[in-house]
Amino acid sequence: VDAPRIFGFLEKRAQENGGKNVAGGEGYTYADFFVAQFLDRPYVVDAAEVAAKYPGLAGIAKAINESPEIAAHLAQRPETPF
């Protein structure tokens, strides 16, 4: 997987959409939730490094994770070892 190429493409899309999402439109799509979930996995990616290189993606992930419904779920979900 060429993560820098994929992240670069998604970052460009995020910027084109005013930082609201990666696919356009008014709401979030599966792609936005994928980005948020992927950046929330420290064993997969260094989130601080990604945030520095791809601030649009980091902003989308932050907005999703801080939305009331998602934040409530994240606070209550059980820890699952990987």
Side-chain angles (χ1 to χ4, degrees), residues 11 31 69:
E11 176 69 18
E69 298 87 357

Side-chain angles (χ1 to χ4, degrees), residues 10-80:
L10 294 174
E11 176 69 18
K12 181 179 176 187
R13 295 290 311 198
Q15 291 177 7
E16 290 170 351
N17 296 319
K20 296 188 303 185
N21 54 45
V22 296
E26 294 302 315
Y28 296 122
T29 66
Y30 181 80
D32 302 303
F33 286 102
F34 172 80
V35 166
Q37 183 273 331
F38 193 79
L39 296 183
D40 192 38
R41 303 289 178 245
Y43 50 82
V44 175
V45 66
D46 181 350
E49 181 181 330
V50 171
K53 290 183 180 178
Y54 310 103
L57 298 182
I60 290 169
K62 184 176 188 293
I64 287 174
N65 289 332
E66 290 179 352
S67 68
E69 298 87 357
I70 300 297
H73 169 74
L74 293 175
Q76 296 177 11
R77 73 177 175 187
E79 286 293 321
T80 305

